[in-house]
Amino acid sequence: MGKVLFHIDLNAFFASAELLLDPSLKGKPIAISGLSKRSVVATASYEARQFGVHSAMPIREALSLCPQLIVVKGHHDFYEELSDQFIRYVKRYTSQVEKASIDECYADMSEAIRQFRRPLDLAWQLQQELSADLHLKCSIGVAPNKFLAKMASDMKKPMGITVLRKQEVPVKLWPLPIEEMRGIGKKTAPLMREKGILTIGDLAHITQPEILQPILGKNAAIFIRRARGEDDRELVCESDVKSMSQSTTLNYDFSSDEEVRVLFRRLADRLSRRLMEEDKQGTLASVSIRYDDFDTHVRSRKLPQPIFRADDLFEIAMELFDENYEDRPLRHLGISLSDLSGIHEQRQQMNLFDTPVQEATGELIERLNRQLEQGGHLTTAGCLAQSRRK
DNA sequence: TCTGGGGTCCTAGGACCC
DNA sequence: TCTGGGGTCCTAGGACCC
């Protein structure tokens, strides 16, 4: 029997979270964003969406569409906390949960649904519990793989439950326009249309992936398989973050040396705090520099040793900035660290070898010599293990 | 009315080594 | 006095997603 995967997507998550903090906002058009004049909408409530307000829209544009819009500054720490509670709720039914982002997850419910008379009863119960206990509305997609589950949860919002079986793909998926496909964005969609691919069905019927290679790269064949409803990706249950960054857009374009230092100092402090919270350090440091014309440069450097301290982050950021800054007005600065590893992991590995090198090698050579004299076959790894056990 | 912030993944060129 | 091909690492840029 095939798998039963759920994709659970919290509807207007930030807006729901704000309602918990301030119930008087209920039923009103609200948008969560920063408060500067350069902010964009992170999430709009459904009331605001009726006016055409949507994510990534500049606040000023949103206000012109909906003058009574209430703009709320986000409370990200609270969202993180609420998101963790959401994941804990899902984990009551299965340990196989992949957190895909702050407001969505995949869950393998193949086992859990057996406890229910009908598979959909589980989806319905989970949806009701999240709504009653956490005041979070969600849409659930039920399907045999991740791609179909994700597409299914998108089909009915808010509070929808959509089942998408493999055999329903031609009817439910293929008529959708190509830009509805995950991974086909506003740059790629026009290129696909030029090739005559207007719908997901058109993509599914491509027999020669090579013709899409220039557009989709090495993923061409994978996209075609997805369009046919095939996807064998496993759930990734431990969220293993690959990079962490901290950036900010300035209220006004500026470029004073002192201000840049102060800003990088603040970004380095915040990034360092987050890295330590997650027990992460990294060896690839980058700065992003965006000028007033939106021209953006990212400059990075591979470091010989992993770093996580604020002073180290600040120092490398200033170096990269000074080496690359083109002396024109700035609008955005950021620091990012990737190639991450665990701070503690690293410490433990070092502990294994923290016998001074000369001592260790001296002892190793001695031991190997003895073994040679005796005609034995002790490997260097075996010697190391023995010397550590002592 | 211009265009946030935090991520992931892919491509491509050049350096460098064998 | 010029020349190969493969592999890996580093760096820059960009598409896409939430």
Side-chain angles (χ1 to χ4, degrees):
Chain A
M1 205 181 104
K3 281 186 186 172
V4 180
L5 299 190
F6 282 18
H7 179 257
I8 307 158
D9 192 320
L10 298 176
N11 306 133
F13 174 52
F14 293 175
S16 305
E18 290 301 327
L19 287 191
L20 285 173
L21 295 175
D22 180 2
S24 76
L25 295 172
K26 195 170 166 60
K28 295 177 183 163
I30 68 170
I32 286 75
S33 88
L35 290 180
S36 101
K37 61 170 189 161
R38 280 177 167 168
S39 296
V40 300
V41 175
T43 301
S45 68
Y46 280 89
E47 291 82 359
R49 290 181 199 190
Q50 293 188 335
F51 291 86
V53 176
H54 60 76
S55 298
M57 175 181 276
I59 281 295
R60 277 192 274 186
E61 190 181 345
L63 280 169
S64 76
L65 286 172
C66 177
Q68 67 272 46
L69 185 72
I70 300 168
V71 180
V72 184
K73 186 179 183 327
H75 298 83
H76 275 268
D77 290 346
F78 178 61
Y79 305 156
E80 292 287 351
E81 210 175 286
L82 200 54
S83 175
D84 288 345
Q85 287 196 46
F86 157 58
I87 299 295
R88 279 201 288 275
Y89 253 79
V90 180
K91 282 192 171 167
R92 300 200 308 189
Y93 294 96
T94 175
S95 60
Q96 296 294 297
V97 177
E98 173 181 334
K99 183 171 178 168
S101 75
I102 195 166
D103 63 354
E104 60 180 321
C105 70
Y106 295 93
D108 186 337
M109 297 295 195
S110 310
E111 291 296 319
I113 52 163
R114 295 191 193 175
Q115 314 296 320
F116 291 80
R117 204 160 55 84
R118 295 168 302 177
L120 282 195
D121 289 348
L122 166 53
W124 186 82
Q125 181 173 311
L126 178 57
Q127 195 178 56
Q128 292 302 312
E129 282 174 351
L130 288 170
S131 171
D133 298 347
L134 299 182
H135 299 276
L136 295 176
K137 290 183 166 48
C138 69
S139 300
I140 302 181
V142 182
N145 61 49
K146 287 171 77 171
F147 173 71
L148 290 181
K150 169 88 183 167
M151 294 301 295
S153 72
D154 266 348
M155 288 177 178
K156 217 182 292 168
K157 291 182 172 183
M159 287 294 265
I161 295 175
T162 307
V163 181
L164 187 51
R165 297 178 187 84
K166 185 82 187 298
Q167 63 265 33
E168 296 170 311
V169 164
V171 175
K172 290 191 176 176
L173 205 59
W174 287 359
L176 298 178
I178 189 65
E179 44 268 76
E180 298 278 311
M181 179 104 190
R182 300 289 99 188
I184 308 288
K186 60 175 189 287
K187 302 275 181 182
T188 312
L191 302 176
M192 299 287 275
R193 279 198 291 271
E194 264 176 42
K195 295 262 183 199
I197 301 167
L198 309 181
T199 65
I200 295 179
D202 292 338
L203 179 58
H205 287 98
I206 298 288
T207 50
Q208 290 164 314
E210 310 86 77
I211 65 165
L212 294 178
Q213 209 274 339
I215 302 175
L216 300 174
K218 71 174 192 180
N219 285 330
I222 290 174
F223 272 96
I224 294 170
R225 293 195 60 218
R226 300 250 172 97
R228 294 172 183 168
E230 295 161 12
D231 178 11
D232 47 23
R233 284 173 299 163
E234 298 289 332
L235 296 198
V236 183
C237 294
E238 285 116 79
S239 105
D240 210 0
V241 64
K242 304 239 166 59
S243 71
M244 287 178 90
S245 63
Q246 193 81 45
S247 64
T248 189
T249 293
L250 315 161
N251 255 324
Y252 300 95
D253 301 323
F254 78 111
S255 53
S256 127
D257 281 2
E258 189 49 31
E259 282 168 305
V260 168
R261 289 184 70 83
V262 168
L263 211 66
F264 270 129
R265 186 72 235 181
R266 199 155 68 213
L267 292 171
D269 286 345
R270 284 192 217 154
L271 183 55
S272 175
R273 184 159 43 79
R274 287 173 52 213
L275 286 162
M276 287 190 282
E277 276 169 15
E278 300 288 325
D279 188 42
K280 292 291 183 196
Q281 59 184 353
T283 53
L284 184 64
S286 313
V287 294
S288 71
I289 304 168
R290 176 170 295 154
Y291 297 101
D292 58 347
D293 60 357
F294 228 72
D295 183 23
T296 306
H297 299 229
V298 178
R299 293 294 175 266
S300 52
R301 177 167 301 156
K302 184 75 185 167
L303 306 170
Q305 296 293 330
I307 60 170
F308 63 92
R309 291 201 173 83
D311 287 348
D312 296 333
L313 290 165
F314 173 68
E315 198 180 319
I316 188 72
M318 285 308 301
E319 268 179 46
L320 285 167
F321 178 81
D322 288 336
E323 285 165 19
N324 293 285
Y325 178 50
E326 291 172 4
D327 200 17
R328 49 201 177 98
L330 290 164
R331 74 170 284 147
H332 166 111
L333 290 173
I335 308 180
S336 155
L337 192 68
S338 48
D339 287 3
L340 300 181
S341 57
I343 298 174
H344 281 95
E345 271 168 45
Q346 177 81 10
R347 288 283 148 73
Q348 278 162 8
Q349 275 174 22
M350 285 171 67
N351 285 343
L352 291 180
F353 298 101
D354 63 4
T355 327
V357 173
Q358 283 186 339
E359 234 177 84
T361 49
E363 194 190 347
L364 193 66
I365 288 164
E366 210 177 290
R367 191 179 289 272
L368 281 168
N369 282 336
R370 272 205 305 276
Q371 291 295 322
L372 277 175
E373 280 164 22
Q374 296 163 12
H377 296 287
L378 193 56
T379 62
T380 49
C383 281
L384 264 180
Q386 279 197 8
S387 62
R388 252 182 263 130
R389 274 198 294 275
K390 289 207 331 189

